């Protein structure tokens, strides 16, 4: 079973989404639109410090752990993450698992679809590509449903220039 990037958050489909994404991406990095061409991640205070095993627990009690990231730490362009999903400390299988990359300072995501592939062990998932194609703060929302529990967490990484 494969689940993919949750695109419904954009509230657009087809050609309209492609056109809107292209316009948003063209605006990024342009001084005319207030974006800097350089990013100094040493100055960013909203990001997570990556280390293998970084985990977050959502309000409904599901824990998402980034077991491994390639490259490590997460970097510009395509990344592959191995994530473990657990409930009350026990690995669980998701009924649905979505990945939503988003740049809060620029107001856009990525047109690249992240595929979620279950691993050999219960609760293990491979997410690829997690595409962070430009410098700046990225919020990667991981959402999953297990039975009647739906939960999400946000990992934040700064991608330097």
């Amino acid at each position: 079973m494969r689940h993919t990037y949750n695109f419904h958050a954009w509230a657009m489909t087809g050609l309209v989404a492609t056109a809107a994404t292209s316009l948003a991406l063209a605006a990024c990095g342009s001084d005319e639109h207030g974006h800097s061409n350089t990013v100094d991640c040493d100055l960013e205070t909203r990001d997570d410090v990556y280390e293998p095993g970084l985990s977050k627990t959502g309000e409904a009690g599901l824990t998402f752990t980034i077991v491994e990231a390639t490259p490590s730490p997460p970097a510009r362009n395509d990344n592959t993450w191995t994530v473990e999903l657990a409930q009350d400390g026990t690995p669980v299988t998701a009924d649905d698992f979505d990945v939503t990359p988003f740049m809060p300072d620029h107001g856009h995501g990525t047109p690249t679809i992240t595929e979620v592939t279950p691993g050999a062990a219960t609760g293990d998932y491979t997410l690829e590509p997690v595409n962070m194609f430009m410098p700046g703060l990225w919020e990667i929302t991981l959402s999953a449903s297990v039975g009647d529990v739906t939960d999400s967490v946000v990992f934040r990484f700064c991608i330097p220039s």
Side-chain angles (χ1 to χ4, degrees):
M1 168 171 45
R2 282 190 174 197
H3 300 281
T4 58
Y5 168 72
N6 186 349
F7 204 73
H8 68 76
W10 286 60
M12 294 182 272
T13 59
L15 187 57
V16 173
T18 302
T21 300
S22 296
L23 288 173
L25 298 180
C28 290
S30 169
D31 292 336
E32 172 184 336
H33 296 281
H35 299 290
S36 172
N37 289 328
T38 60
V39 174
D40 183 353
C41 289
D42 290 335
L43 302 176
E44 180 59 67
T45 60
R46 301 167 293 170
D47 60 334
D48 295 315
V49 175
Y50 175 77
E51 60 182 50
L54 178 63
S55 69
K56 293 190 177 189
T57 301
E59 291 182 14
L62 293 180
T63 300
F64 300 78
T65 302
I66 303 175
V67 176
E68 180 181 17
T70 305
S72 178
R76 191 170 182 183
N77 294 317
D78 291 343
N79 293 256
T80 300
W81 292 2
T82 302
V83 172
E84 180 186 76
L85 179 65
Q87 186 173 32
D88 299 323
T90 302
V92 293
T93 300
D95 299 319
D96 190 36
F97 195 124
D98 292 312
V99 178
T100 307
F102 186 73
M103 289 194 85
D105 296 335
H106 295 208
H108 65 75
T110 176
T112 302
I113 295 172
T114 299
E115 293 198 20
V116 178
T117 307
T122 299
D124 286 351
Y125 294 89
T126 300
L127 287 51
E128 65 182 336
V130 178
N131 181 263
M132 296 176 276
F133 62 88
M134 65 183 302
L137 182 69
W138 283 89
E139 294 181 340
I140 310 301
T141 301
L142 304 184
S143 305
S145 296
V146 176
D148 60 352
V149 175
T150 299
D151 212 349
S152 64
V153 298
V154 178
F155 290 96
R156 292 174 180 88
F157 297 110
C158 184
I159 304 302
S161 298

